[in-house]
Amino acid sequence: MKHLLEQAGLAALRRIDPEQAHGLALKALKAGLAPCPGPVTSDRLRMTLAGLDLPSPVGLAAGFDKNAEAIAPLSLAGFGFIEVGAATPQPQPGNPRPRLFRLTEDAAAINRFGFNNQGMEAIASRLANRPSGIPVGLNLGANKTSPDRAADFAEVMQRIREVVDFATVNVSSPNTEKLRDLQGPAALAALLDGVMQVRGSTPVFLKIAPDLTSSEIADIATVARNSGVDAIIATNTTLSRDGLRSRHKDQAGGLSGQPLFDRSTRVLAQLSTQTDIPLIGVGGIGSAEQAYAKICAGASAVQLYTALVYGGLSLVTRIAEGLDQLLARDGFANVTDAVGSRKKDWL
Ligand SMILES: Cc1cc2nc3c(=O)[nH]c(=O)nc-3n(C[C@H](O)[C@H](O)[C@H](O)COP(=O)(O)O)c2cc1C
């Protein structure tokens, strides 16, 4: 019954403008109208990632709760960890609307939000008052008009380090012009150096794009290792538009959802051959089988966003429980034992 109600709600939301629908979904969450089963966990799912204890490896990807408004209900939605943001030093409006498009036939989305957010002060004060529970991280971004974008990352890091369990350096959003140039080895090393100097004891993750060559991936692995990054998140949205059918397929922005699955999993598997740093797999996960495939390709944990638009938050519990069953089926005592067990399939 609950599931039917959720499906009816999702169908109604899909008839209105996607950004408005997202705002309503967040309001419903805050009003307690969403599923709140609490984190799914088991001996097989429990794990440690970069020193953080996770009840399960299934997390919420950045961008769903940009302003950290719904941490309490999201913590109870079934995730093992959540990432909010991106936060920039100053508040900024982002790109003009419309800037979020549903590609229903492709089970995908295109967004060109451009780091719309209320700024690090507002976001930090919400994070400071969050309930205890699962680990919560913040995605760090840079202001569009900043004269020194690398310094923006360090500034947000310094401001929020006491109120988060981890922070993610996001140099992979396609929606802020030239941001991804910061993925180049020299620029990335300098940026990470600035962030690491002010992080205190907070774990720092690095999030990369899916549109990288093998040698770019190898360079990033080297820089990440030298900088002491605690985990790498692969990947953000793609600029590729291969094989899409929906009428919005030519909109500018980053593509997420099903069509990103293979591309992001290949980047993940390649990265796992280049580094021992724990990896978080994200991109196109919509089922337990796909979460499991990312883990077998080299991810210690996973995140998702776009599939929630189509499947609702109850999907989180289904994925975590399904993952537990798949691990049991294949004889793994815990998720960590399965990490990278089939990476060759993706190389
Ligand atoms: C509307 C929207 C906003 C996003 N905003 C951010 C963001 O602020 N920072 C970030 O690192 N990733 C952001 N992402 C990317 C997601 O975190 C994720 O990497 C990507 O969507 C691929 O996962 P998915 O296919 O499960 O959605 C956003 C994605 C979407 C769809």
Side-chain angles (χ1 to χ4, degrees):
M1 180 65 189
K2 233 175 159 182
H3 191 57
L4 282 178
L5 277 176
E6 188 185 32
Q7 290 307 316
L10 285 170
L13 284 177
R14 275 203 292 273
R15 278 195 288 276
I16 55 178
D17 165 73
E19 186 167 349
Q20 262 183 313
H22 185 68
L24 285 174
L26 273 178
K27 276 207 177 104
L29 256 178
K30 287 196 276 181
L33 296 173
C36 294
V40 179
T41 192
S42 73
D43 287 346
R44 267 185 296 269
L45 294 176
R46 238 186 304 278
M47 58 160 315
T48 306
L49 175 78
L52 304 171
D53 291 326
L54 310 186
S56 107
V58 180
L60 175 66
F64 184 90
D65 186 7
K66 285 199 181 262
N67 292 304
E69 295 172 283
I71 295 176
L74 284 171
S75 299
L76 295 172
F79 297 108
F81 65 111
I82 60 179
E83 183 173 338
V84 298
T88 56
Q90 303 302 321
Q92 65 177 22
N95 292 321
R97 298 184 191 206
R99 52 193 180 174
L100 175 60
F101 303 87
R102 277 185 218 102
L103 280 70
T104 307
E105 295 88 335
D106 300 302
I110 291 177
N111 91 83
R112 51 170 180 268
F113 271 109
F115 289 156
N116 56 312
N117 77 108
Q118 295 170 0
M120 66 177 183
E121 285 305 331
I123 291 170
S125 56
R126 286 185 198 125
L127 281 163
N129 293 314
R130 75 189 153 91
S132 60
I134 58 172
V136 177
L138 180 67
N139 191 263
L140 314 181
N143 280 119
K144 183 179 177 184
T145 57
S146 168
D148 183 352
R149 292 218 175 117
D152 279 20
F153 287 90
E155 194 180 341
V156 185
M157 181 78 234
Q158 185 155 31
R159 176 65 187 87
I160 56 86
R161 68 182 178 198
E162 307 286 340
V163 293
V164 295
D165 299 305
F166 67 91
T168 300
V169 170
N170 169 18
V171 282
S172 47
S173 168
N175 299 317
T176 297
E177 217 191 327
K178 298 210 163 74
L179 184 83
R180 285 169 309 151
D181 293 355
L182 294 170
Q183 290 180 129
L188 186 60
L191 186 156
L192 288 174
D193 191 39
V195 169
M196 297 309 264
Q197 276 179 29
V198 297
R199 70 154 164 172
S201 55
T202 305
V204 171
F205 299 175
L206 171 67
K207 185 165 177 179
I208 65 168
D211 309 321
L212 297 166
T213 63
S214 304
S215 74
E216 287 170 331
I217 293 170
D219 284 348
I220 286 174
T222 304
V223 173
R225 186 174 51 244
N226 293 341
S227 311
V229 159
D230 296 281
I232 303 178
I233 305 182
T235 68
N236 214 312
T237 54
T238 180
L239 290 174
S240 148
R241 293 292 186 267
D242 291 347
L244 299 180
R245 294 180 293 145
S246 312
R247 75 186 163 102
H248 290 306
K249 64 178 193 248
D250 295 322
Q251 288 291 342
L255 173 73
S256 57
Q258 282 308 308
L260 177 58
F261 182 81
D262 282 5
R263 176 181 285 258
S264 59
T265 309
R266 279 196 298 270
V267 170
L268 170 74
Q270 266 190 41
L271 203 52
S272 79
T273 65
Q274 314 264 343
T275 181
D276 294 331
I277 299 173
L279 306 177
I280 299 172
V282 49
I285 294 175
S287 67
E289 286 74 14
Q290 288 178 311
Y292 186 48
K294 292 267 191 205
I295 287 164
C296 297
S300 293
V302 298
Q303 294 177 319
L304 71 157
Y305 179 166
T306 302
L308 303 174
V309 174
Y310 296 103
L313 272 177
S314 62
L315 183 62
V316 182
T317 305
R318 293 203 296 282
I319 289 180
E321 290 176 351
L323 178 61
D324 188 54
Q325 286 163 14
L326 290 166
L327 291 165
R329 182 197 70 188
D330 291 351
F332 290 112
N334 56 62
V335 65
T336 306
D337 289 350
V339 174
S341 56
R342 302 196 61 164
K343 75 173 88 158
K344 286 198 187 75
D345 295 357
W346 297 94
L347 296 171

